[in-house]
Amino acid sequence: MTTRVLFDVSRLMSRVDRGSPTGVDRVCLAYAEWLSDHPGVEMIPVRGRKDRLVAVDPAWFERKMRTLRARWSGGEADRPETERQRRLFAALLSPTRPAASVIDEPPPPESATPRKAAPWRVWRQYFRSEPTRAPSPVGDLYVSVGHTGLHTPAILQDLEARGIARVILIHDLIPVTHPEFCRPGDGDKHRARVRNVLRHASRVIVNSAYTGDELQAFARTEGLLCPPVHVAHLGLEPDFLQAREPRPAVPFFVHIGTIEARKNLAFLLTLWRRLEERNGDACPRLVLVGRYGWENEAVLDHLQRSPNLQGLVHQAENLPDAALAALMRDARAVLAPSAVEGFDLPAVEASSMRCPLIASDIPVHRELIGHAWLVDPLDGPGWVEAVETLARAPAALGPAYDAPTWNSHFAVVEKALGLTPVSAG
């Protein structure tokens, strides 16, 4: 028996021109591929438009999905190393301290960014959707894993009225629990989003027990019943599943993630200034890999204006998976100093590749990467000690780690969706 799944591709459609994915983008693409290939599923791509679902041309979406996979995975044969990547690796591995840091140009402040017409490639995605007057797509269940369109109840209410089951993945409740780390207004929007899910979802998937606990606590606070919750740790892409002995080199450290307030990077760069004051040109190098996000001014001030960090701290974005994995394997350690996370995919990826890992002592890290060197996110001396200890130690593999897989994730999802199991382990 074939199950017709209305899969919400709104977020993926908004990413058709993006060079590298966020963690949520990776999840959306993994679900699209899994549903497309599942023998018991007819995937019907849909997107939200004016508080209702409209169909997306399946053939067009299939091509875009394969294009995104090739672009984001970016194997060495498919995506040659760029000049910027060569400069970054050369700066990290140089036997002497470079005179200047390798830093990607940050975007202008939002208030100074003029509104531009969307490229024709982006507009094309909308014209590929059926017009609003078309009847609502019909399916057996609806799956949404990108948070898009859930801040209003109309779509979920319509599906509920038509007897279509609604399965929603919640990545975190950070805008609700820690609004100070998010754009103004994001907290209220996410609160409305989670309320709608609690009221109208048939089932909820969460990426960690911590996220599930936060969801249950929010439901109690709001006086709402919580639908059945399924905990399914996220899987990893192939490039992050293979361990390799690190090559002896000048010690450098890596942080992966959007450059935003909750990642605690201003604190990390303050520590790096202290490391430079203690060690001079022998201070280990650091590279921040990620796009510029919200409230990054303090990080930019450090990167652009601190003479102590020049030649030591670098930043890059849009690295394909193959290049990012190589960078992580050769690092003395991966750093994860976040104040709060719902899952922390880069930390799990680092553990899978047996990269040494220094991480903040927060609930989700204790759940997922308890083997890491865990330090309180505000313990400056503790972080300095951890970094200096690993910088002086010979390059070595971290402990063996039983990484979550997409197979194990989708085995849980199959049960939540009521599909005939085809995944294992």
Side-chain angles (χ1 to χ4, degrees):
M1 179 179 176
T2 299
T3 302
R4 298 167 300 172
V5 176
L6 304 176
F7 179 58
D8 198 317
V9 301
S10 302
R11 184 180 179 103
L12 279 178
M13 289 177 66
S14 71
R15 299 307 201 253
V16 293
D17 292 318
R18 175 162 286 189
S20 61
T22 65
V24 176
D25 297 339
R26 289 184 186 276
V27 174
C28 291
L29 183 57
Y31 268 76
E33 293 173 327
W34 177 70
L35 289 168
S36 177
D37 294 339
H38 196 292
V41 168
E42 177 191 352
M43 186 183 75
I44 304 168
V46 296
R47 71 170 181 87
R49 184 179 182 189
K50 297 182 179 178
D51 281 342
R52 60 172 296 179
L53 292 177
V54 295
V56 175
D57 180 345
W60 176 86
F61 178 71
E62 183 81 14
R63 292 194 299 272
K64 284 297 177 185
M65 182 173 62
R66 305 307 176 193
T67 298
L68 284 176
R69 168 56 63 199
R71 183 189 305 151
W72 290 351
S73 295
E76 294 176 357
D78 301 317
R79 187 172 178 179
E81 186 180 48
T82 65
E83 176 59 29
R84 182 169 54 84
Q85 290 173 29
R86 284 191 289 270
R87 288 177 53 231
L88 175 63
F89 277 85
L92 290 172
L93 301 177
S94 171
T96 58
R97 178 177 176 175
S101 297
V102 177
I103 300 174
D104 282 347
E105 186 67 25
E110 290 191 2
S111 60
T113 305
R115 184 176 296 275
K116 297 181 180 179
W120 70 271
R121 292 185 301 276
V122 175
W123 281 116
R124 183 176 63 184
Q125 64 184 290
Y126 294 99
F127 296 132
R128 290 283 186 173
S129 302
E130 293 182 4
T132 305
R133 64 177 179 275
S136 298
V138 176
D140 299 304
L141 60 90
Y142 167 77
V143 176
S144 173
V145 300
H147 285 182
T148 306
L150 298 174
H151 59 287
T152 60
I155 288 175
L156 292 178
Q157 286 176 332
D158 175 68
L159 291 164
E160 188 174 15
R162 292 194 284 139
I164 298 173
R166 292 87 48 214
V167 180
I168 312 296
L169 190 154
I170 295 293
H171 292 269
D172 60 63
L173 277 80
I174 292 171
V176 175
T177 60
H178 296 75
E180 66 273 20
F181 293 143
C182 305
R183 285 182 171 83
D186 278 2
D188 291 339
K189 185 175 182 179
H190 200 58
R191 185 181 299 274
R193 184 183 288 136
V194 179
R195 281 177 182 152
N196 290 329
V197 170
L198 291 172
R199 289 183 175 123
H200 302 293
S202 306
R203 294 181 179 275
V204 177
I205 300 166
V206 292
N207 52 13
S208 65
Y210 169 71
T211 299
D213 291 343
E214 292 292 282
L215 179 64
Q216 298 277 5
F218 178 79
R220 290 192 296 270
T221 299
E222 296 292 317
L224 297 171
L225 294 176
C226 191
V229 175
H230 304 262
V231 178
H233 291 162
L234 303 178
L236 308 182
E237 303 302 328
D239 283 309
F240 302 101
L241 294 174
Q242 301 298 321
R244 187 200 70 196
E245 290 284 349
R247 292 175 293 190
V250 175
F252 69 88
F253 293 77
V254 179
H255 174 274
I256 302 101
T258 303
I259 298 175
E260 57 187 353
R262 70 182 175 89
K263 298 297 185 179
N264 209 20
L265 296 181
F267 170 82
L268 184 63
L269 295 186
T270 299
L271 293 179
W272 231 262
R273 180 185 176 104
R274 176 62 57 85
L275 287 167
E276 194 274 345
E277 291 170 350
R278 290 161 61 107
N279 299 280
D281 290 347
C283 176
R285 319 285 164 81
L286 170 67
V287 56
L288 310 180
V289 181
R291 302 169 64 87
Y292 291 99
W294 176 249
E295 289 190 347
N296 55 41
E297 292 83 1
V299 175
L300 288 174
D301 284 343
H302 281 285
L303 290 175
Q304 296 175 336
R305 299 169 56 190
S306 174
N308 299 72
L309 302 185
Q310 289 305 305
L312 293 178
V313 180
H314 310 274
Q315 182 271 332
E317 61 177 276
N318 289 333
L319 292 183
D321 286 354
L324 179 57
L327 191 68
M328 294 166 72
R329 289 189 185 102
D330 286 337
R332 198 56 53 92
V334 172
L335 306 180
S338 296
V340 61
E341 292 284 353
F343 184 77
D344 203 345
L345 187 59
V348 175
E349 291 168 341
S351 298
S352 175
M353 294 189 292
R354 299 187 61 185
C355 303
L357 180 64
I358 308 172
S360 53
D361 190 1
I362 57 176
V364 78
H365 285 165
R366 293 194 290 272
E367 174 185 346
L368 294 167
I369 52 168
H371 62 278
W373 189 328
L374 298 180
V375 187
D376 187 280
L378 296 180
D379 181 5
W383 276 88
V384 168
E385 177 189 2
V387 170
E388 288 188 330
T389 298
L390 291 187
R392 290 191 297 263
L397 288 173
Y401 178 72
D402 185 15
T405 67
W406 281 122
N407 278 346
S408 60
H409 177 90
F410 287 125
V412 175
V413 175
E414 279 174 333
K415 293 179 181 178
L417 302 187
L419 300 176
T420 301
V422 297
S423 301

